[in-house]
């Protein structure tokens, strides 16, 4: 029998597993975490079952400090409510976030720029879009209010552009309306400034931000990737000078939890072919 | 002693909503949406609706696909796991057949809370620096609809001020979301209108109070007296509800806490099929026109609905298939 | 797995509240006030408190009479049927020994709601044209306390603007009620901090969230798991509660829905006796100093408390005498 | 046995009964009524049991559409909650009022002026008061938000002054801050204008207001009083030109309800000596 604390070998886990585990590691114990639908949910539930058993989970639709037994398919799902401290509503969830209780937000996005600005609204000219997406949802809200925000994204060159088509969710350098000049997030948010995007976990690697310049840099690259390859996969000039190494793969225990406890029905994550 | 009866039928409820109304709904994305009433609105060929929603979902995709909607004002539309985005909205946006107005989710929640509290606005610091606040993207303004002609449409999308009290910096005032009619889909309503909601209540209490007319569609109409024995469980008081409709499975294909799960297969098929207008027309022909609610339920059939039925202890279905396979 | 224990004693709870704190409480007039903790604050000789309350009552009369309070900021103080007004506040106002700041009741509710939502203000149209808005009657301003030195005290009492959205006219912006510590008296708290409140919840959820530190004193500490089986009955989430104290009869002489009624005789005697400072000092000597909470309950005695005990079906006492006779 | 619908004779009812019944008659069926503590509660519960069975009762502390069985001693009393549609809190109650749901408010006061401005805060100079009272409570809020407000008051000349010491609750002519010039309430309230004080029921008579001039006038005088006598009991020049007659006394049925059903323990109202 394998030692469950050991790291798995390539082929024994999927890219989804790797990203989920990388995301789970961003959570610290006792934190209040505000999570969106999908992979973020699995990552948080994984953290809850490993190193952060006392994290408090908030879902946008109104569940406060929930302890779901089964994976919810969305934040409005009754599965969110199981074991919760309070079942309330959106006004309560967003008020709590605006009041400053949230340590960490977990979100997704269609595009991200060098400063961590994320687009989930429309591709192309907003007034004449090539593709209309879902819209903001709570993405800008969670990201505006949390101390740190982690994004989980598919990595394609066009999804890491110089400028996103539409800034749905604020990065480290944002637009000062009505003029639209670029300013550091800190300047605009005043007393509400608490932090910003702290990591992007893509299908290629894990990225972080220099809080002063606001620029994204590569922290770790996934097995099979290289810093140079990843720089080629960004339309902006990615800082690869601060790479710390390869993304640490999941342990056998983590793979077991993902596929046999958290998502056995492959709702969000397909099982590895060989397991 | 009870009030004059508030009970009406589904088609009477739809008739209350006039062409051009500002309309909103209960629920959250794919949960507790009053789809039975939405189908009826489509059958009655309602036109020029202005939807203003905390967030949107399949119910609005039905209305938008059917050409009932002139303005969509919200922050999100899609089918969660079962369809990436709102393909009908996306199509009509691309073809310039609809006016879209984007706020953030918290902004929409605060807008409804303001309307519910009789305040013209609330202050927030969310989304500063994003294109949501880009003045060029005030779409109702671009369409000339902020001229005060409709007293429920605010004259500005936002108003920015500095906090005069604590030096907390820039504040975005978001206008109250005033609506003509709110339609709610809930588990239980009393015969005098008291609403009990099980599970997360989303923004339903605000939505009901933001509207001039509130219609509640419930899985069950129950004796008011029963609900009043435990008044702390109720969410909306009797006098805020104008009409009530009893209609089992009123939210299908969206889910209802404690009653039934989301019909993911239905939503996935809808999303796939209705990426073209022709596809939507076929869907509407099959599932909306020529059927009433009973016909719709019959077409779904007993075994399908039985799979969706919630486990009464867990409040969700343990029989429904949710995985990708 | 549970958090590090939040459970502390009554005297430890009182120690958390420092001299000069901005302090607020649960409850409404003569209901669910954390009197046991208030007595303990008096025993510990806490000074220079700034009370900021949605409304006030006997608990604050105790603190004011004992000289613990520098600033009283609220809208109402009294004992309802059992004492016309707050005689201790009135005396200290007359003798210029306290700063008083008057808002309206709705304004105070909106101020706490704003603080709870992380908003610097809310807009309202209540009380326009009254002396509540008289700029000469900004008492914190007159006392020089609106200089920004204490970041929780707003720099203005009000800020008047015109509604920019609907032409609805003059709006009064009321500043968030930011507080250092909130102390709540409730029926049940879970061992991780989840609060369940029975009956009207007054402004307790807002008050808890407006504070930097929240202390919950409960008739019972119950297993968290029990409360989490019905999360829609709970009002304050675990992570908003910093400390919990178990203390039966914690609200006496005020009442607690489902547990006990107001001790009207006690309040009437207090009101009558403490119209002079000498009277207050005698009251404090008899009922506060030299007693702990157990001693206080013993002094009240079993028959008196048994009369106050609520009927478990009706949630109030059917044995207590309430009439004038 | 007496016919219960007949009017009682002097001596068979108290002044409190007369005032309570006069107050109850201000309620119309189906209205939403927002009531303070004391005599207003008995008046409303009386109306609920006579001509207005479908009135909806809101108490400030959070009870919506309650049907108390026993008389509450205050609006925070558990007795308010019995039979209620929703038990909530103050923010909800005041939000509902501000949103415009309230037809009628029922309040008390220590002083009232010719324009219906009411004082419940302090007697004398506010900055140096002779007597500090309870403060506003919800008095200005209920009165600001309701379409009509009825006041119940003790009648003494000093309580009907030319100007109240402190305007706690707005009448028909109010002060326009910061200058403090007098203006008609309609001018100041804008879209929020819904009405104002509609009646004052004192221990001497029932008073109403001319909505255009905002001035108080005597409508009915209680048995034993006269319009002239009442004019002498006001420091301002009371309009007695529109008197409609004597205040109609309670019926035997109403007296029975007050003293045997609603307040048998004499919590707010003493029983008549001969009954």
């Amino acid at each position: 029998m394998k030692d469950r604390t050991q790291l798995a070998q390539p082929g024994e886990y999927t890219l989804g597993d790797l990203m989920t585990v990388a995301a789970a590691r961003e959570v610290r114990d006792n934190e209040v975490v505000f999570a969106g639908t999908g992979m973020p949910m699995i990552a948080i539930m994984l953290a809850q079952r490993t190193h952060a058993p006392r994290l408090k989970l908030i879902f946008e639709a109104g569940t406060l400090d929930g302890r779901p037994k089964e994976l919810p398919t969305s934040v409005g799902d009754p599965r969110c409510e199981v074991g919760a401290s309070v079942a309330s509503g959106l006004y309560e969830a967003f008020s709590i976030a605006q009041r400053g209780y949230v340590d960490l937000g977990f979100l997704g996005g269609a595009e991200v720029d060098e400063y961590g600005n994320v687009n989930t609204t429309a591709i192309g000219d907003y007034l004449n879009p090539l593709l209309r997406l879902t819209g903001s949802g709570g993405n800008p809200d969670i990201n505006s209010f949390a101390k740190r925000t982690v994004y989980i994204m598919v990595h394609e060159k066009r999804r890491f552009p110089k400028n996103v088509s539409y800034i749905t969710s604020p990065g480290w350098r944002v637009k000062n309306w009505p003029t639209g000049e670029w300013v550091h997030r800190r300047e605009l948010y005043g007393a509400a400034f608490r932090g910003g995007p702290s990591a992007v976990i893509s299908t290629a690697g894990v990225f972080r931000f220099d809080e002063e310049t606001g620029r994204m840099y590569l922290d770790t690259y996934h097995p099979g990737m290289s810093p140079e390859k990843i720089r080629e996969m960004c339309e902006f000039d990615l800082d690869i000078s601060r790479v710390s190494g390869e993304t640490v793969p999941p342990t056998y225990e983590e793979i077991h939890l993902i596929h046999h406890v958290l998502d056995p029905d492959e709702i969000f994550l397909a099982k590895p072919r060989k397991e | 002693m009870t009030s004059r009866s508030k009970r009406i039928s589904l088609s009477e409820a739809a008739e209350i909503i006039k062409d051009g109304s500002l309309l909103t709904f209960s629920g959250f994305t794919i949960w507790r949406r009053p789809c039975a009433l939405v189908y009826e609105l489509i059958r009655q060929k309602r036109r020029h609706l202005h939807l203003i929603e905390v967030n949107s979902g399949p119910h609005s995709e039905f209305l938008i696909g059917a050409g009932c909607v002139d303005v969509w004002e919200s922050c999100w539309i899609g089918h969660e796991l079962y369809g990436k985005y709102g393909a009908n909205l996306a199509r009509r946006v691309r073809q310039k057949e609809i006016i879209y107005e984007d706020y953030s989710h918290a902004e929409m929640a605060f807008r409804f809370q303001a309307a519910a509290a009789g305040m013209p606005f609330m202050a927030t610091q969310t989304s500063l620096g994003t294109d949501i606040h880009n003045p060029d993207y005030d779409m109702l303004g671009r369409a000339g609809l902020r001229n005060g002609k409709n007293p429920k449409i605010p004259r500005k999308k936002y108003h920015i001020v500095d906090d005069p009290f604590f030096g907390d910096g820039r504040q975005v005032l978001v206008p109250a979301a005033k609506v003509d009619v709110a339609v709610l889909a809930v588990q239980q309503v009393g015969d005098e209108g008291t609403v009990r909601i099980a599970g997360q209540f989303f923004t339903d209490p605000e939505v009901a109070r933001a509207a001039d007319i509130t219609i509640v569609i419930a899985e069950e109409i129950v004796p008011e007296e029963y609900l009043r024995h435990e008044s702390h469980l109720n969410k909306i008081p009797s006098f805020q509800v104008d009409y009530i409709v009893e209609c089992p499975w009123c939210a299908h294909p969206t889910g209802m806490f404690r009653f039934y799960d989301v019909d993911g297969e239905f939503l996935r098929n809808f999303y796939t099929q209705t990426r073209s207008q022709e596809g939507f027309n076929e869907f509407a022909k099959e599932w909306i026109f020529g059927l009433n609610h009973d016909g719709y339920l019959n077409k779904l059939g007993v075994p399908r609905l039985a799979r969706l039925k919630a486990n009464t202890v867990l409040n969700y279905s343990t029989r429904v298939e949710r995985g990708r396979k």
Side-chain angles (χ1 to χ4, degrees), chain A, chain B:
Chain A
M1 201 183 151
K2 283 170 190 161
D3 177 356
R4 289 197 151 189
T5 63
Q6 260 202 325
L7 300 178
Q9 297 302 311
E12 294 179 322
Y13 59 89
T14 67
L15 188 54
D17 296 344
L18 182 73
M19 292 169 73
T20 301
V21 167
R25 290 176 188 148
E26 298 292 320
V27 185
R28 301 170 198 155
D29 202 10
N30 282 308
E31 288 192 321
V32 176
V33 183
F34 203 119
T37 294
M39 200 187 278
M41 278 187 181
I42 307 186
I44 291 166
M45 289 171 72
L46 180 63
Q48 212 168 20
R49 279 160 183 78
T50 55
H51 65 284
R54 288 174 288 260
L55 73 84
K56 319 287 180 222
L57 186 47
I58 299 181
F59 289 123
E60 201 163 344
T63 295
L64 309 177
D65 193 8
R67 292 161 184 181
K69 288 194 196 311
E70 288 189 32
L71 187 63
T73 45
S74 76
V75 298
D77 193 323
R79 290 162 186 85
C80 293
E81 188 271 342
V82 174
S85 177
V86 178
S88 64
L90 278 75
Y91 175 72
E92 288 72 15
F94 285 127
S95 292
I96 286 168
Q98 187 163 258
R99 175 72 178 87
Y101 280 98
V102 179
D103 296 297
L104 181 62
F106 255 117
L107 298 164
E111 291 180 338
V112 63
D113 73 12
E114 182 171 16
Y115 297 110
N117 291 298
V118 166
N119 174 19
T120 66
T121 302
I123 303 295
D125 175 12
Y126 177 76
L127 299 175
N128 196 12
L130 294 171
L131 179 61
R132 168 78 203 190
L133 303 172
T134 51
S136 72
N139 204 311
D141 310 308
I142 298 173
N143 172 16
S144 294
F145 296 143
K147 297 188 184 94
R148 311 191 316 280
T149 302
V150 174
Y151 280 96
I152 300 180
M153 289 183 60
V154 173
H155 206 127
E156 296 171 333
K157 189 159 185 160
R158 63 184 176 97
R159 289 174 180 273
F160 283 65
K162 185 97 186 82
N163 291 301
V164 294
S165 302
Y166 180 99
I167 301 178
T168 308
S169 203
W172 288 96
R173 292 187 67 77
V174 291
K175 288 190 167 178
N176 190 0
W177 298 113
T179 61
E181 65 183 313
W182 290 93
V183 292
H184 194 283
R185 177 182 179 126
R186 193 185 286 116
E187 284 179 51
L188 207 56
Y189 277 68
F193 176 78
R194 300 190 184 113
S198 63
V200 174
I201 296 167
S202 82
T203 46
V206 176
F207 307 81
R208 301 194 185 276
F209 294 87
D210 184 293
E211 295 197 9
E212 287 317 309
T213 65
R215 278 186 69 201
M216 187 191 288
Y217 64 88
L218 182 63
D219 179 15
T220 67
Y221 49 93
H222 297 336
M225 283 283 161
S226 72
E228 292 71 24
K229 216 160 148 185
I230 293 174
R231 186 161 60 180
E232 279 307 302
M233 292 166 75
C234 298
E235 289 184 359
F236 54 83
D237 181 28
L238 178 70
D239 177 358
I240 57 170
S241 69
R242 298 164 76 170
V243 173
S244 66
E246 220 178 50
T247 309
V248 177
T251 64
Y252 292 113
E253 171 70 12
E254 288 167 333
I255 295 172
H256 169 77
L257 284 169
I258 291 172
H259 295 295
H260 295 275
V261 177
L262 298 174
D263 193 12
D265 296 333
E266 302 187 73
I267 294 173
F268 293 111
L269 290 177
K271 290 193 166 78
R273 259 155 299 164
K274 96 176 185 200
E275 198 188 355
Chain B
M1 224 162 296
T2 61
S3 307
R4 187 174 58 261
S5 175
K6 294 177 175 176
R7 189 191 284 244
I8 58 173
S9 71
L10 207 52
S11 66
E12 287 168 334
E15 281 161 19
I16 287 162
I17 299 157
K18 306 299 178 199
D19 282 3
S21 292
L22 273 138
L23 183 62
T24 198
F25 307 100
S26 65
F28 183 94
T29 69
I30 57 172
W31 299 93
R32 285 206 296 98
R33 301 304 200 168
C35 295
L37 187 278
V38 158
Y39 290 145
E40 190 59 28
L41 282 173
I42 294 170
R43 286 180 202 117
Q44 293 188 10
K45 301 200 160 35
R46 200 68 67 252
R47 287 295 176 271
H48 313 304
L49 296 174
H50 180 154
L51 305 187
I52 174 163
E53 310 185 75
V54 179
N55 59 65
S56 193
H59 59 296
S60 295
E61 275 285 290
F62 298 152
L63 286 169
I64 291 166
C68 306
V69 181
D70 283 2
V71 182
W72 177 84
E73 184 171 354
S74 187
C75 74
W76 186 93
I77 192 165
H79 308 278
E80 299 279 12
L81 182 64
Y82 307 107
K84 278 187 182 173
Y85 56 90
N88 292 281
L89 177 74
R91 181 176 61 252
R92 285 181 185 264
V93 165
R94 213 169 46 239
Q95 297 177 354
K96 300 190 185 297
E97 293 169 342
I98 196 164
I99 297 165
Y100 50 102
E101 186 71 276
D102 279 291
Y103 283 86
S104 85
H105 206 179
E107 286 177 345
M108 289 307 301
F110 296 152
R111 292 186 64 195
F112 274 93
Q113 183 65 237
M119 298 172 183
F121 53 80
M122 278 194 176
T124 176
Q125 291 193 295
T126 184
S127 308
L128 286 166
T130 69
D131 275 318
I132 299 175
H133 297 167
N134 185 332
D136 284 344
Y137 298 166
D138 167 6
M139 304 304 274
L140 286 173
R142 293 183 83 97
L145 292 172
R146 298 204 185 278
N147 57 3
K149 217 171 142 192
N150 183 335
K152 290 198 169 67
I153 297 179
R155 288 171 198 173
K156 298 178 76 172
K157 183 169 176 178
Y158 293 105
H159 187 72
I160 313 284
V161 297
D162 267 319
D163 165 30
F165 295 113
F166 303 98
D168 280 355
R170 187 176 298 201
Q171 303 295 323
V172 180
L173 305 187
V174 291
K178 303 187 180 190
V179 286
D180 294 314
V181 188
V183 186
L184 277 63
V186 302
Q187 291 92 355
Q188 292 181 318
V189 67
D191 46 47
E192 295 179 45
T194 296
V195 174
R196 180 167 297 178
I197 295 170
Q200 303 181 105
F201 52 78
F202 309 134
T203 39
D204 293 9
E206 295 92 320
V207 149
R209 207 188 298 149
D212 289 348
I213 299 173
T214 298
I215 302 170
V216 173
I217 305 178
E219 294 294 319
E220 316 182 308
I221 295 179
V222 301
E224 186 77 17
E225 203 192 326
Y226 163 82
L227 298 180
R228 285 172 183 251
H229 276 171
E230 294 189 275
S231 62
H232 59 293
L233 296 180
N234 305 330
K235 282 290 167 201
I236 301 171
S238 56
F239 57 84
Q240 284 179 9
V241 174
D242 300 287
Y243 302 99
I244 60 176
V245 181
E246 188 173 61
C247 178
W249 300 94
C250 62
H252 181 278
T254 68
M256 171 90 53
F257 186 100
R258 194 166 288 170
F259 276 73
Y260 44 88
D261 235 290
V262 173
D263 190 336
E265 190 192 342
F266 191 101
L267 289 182
R268 194 180 282 121
N269 291 341
F270 172 80
Y271 172 70
T272 310
Q273 183 183 0
T274 70
R275 299 181 76 155
S276 71
Q277 188 61 48
E278 296 66 40
F280 182 89
N281 296 345
E282 276 163 35
F283 167 84
K285 196 174 158 194
E286 183 178 357
W287 287 99
I288 304 176
F289 294 112
L291 290 174
N292 60 12
H293 188 64
D294 278 355
Y296 176 83
L297 295 182
N298 259 329
K299 191 168 157 63
L300 289 166
V302 177
R304 179 175 193 152
L305 294 180
R307 272 195 298 279
L308 297 176
K309 201 100 187 88
N311 179 293
T312 59
V313 170
L314 291 166
N315 299 312
Y316 52 80
S317 167
T318 51
R319 291 188 290 260
V320 70
E321 278 189 32
R322 302 191 305 142
R324 271 182 182 153
K325 285 178 293 192

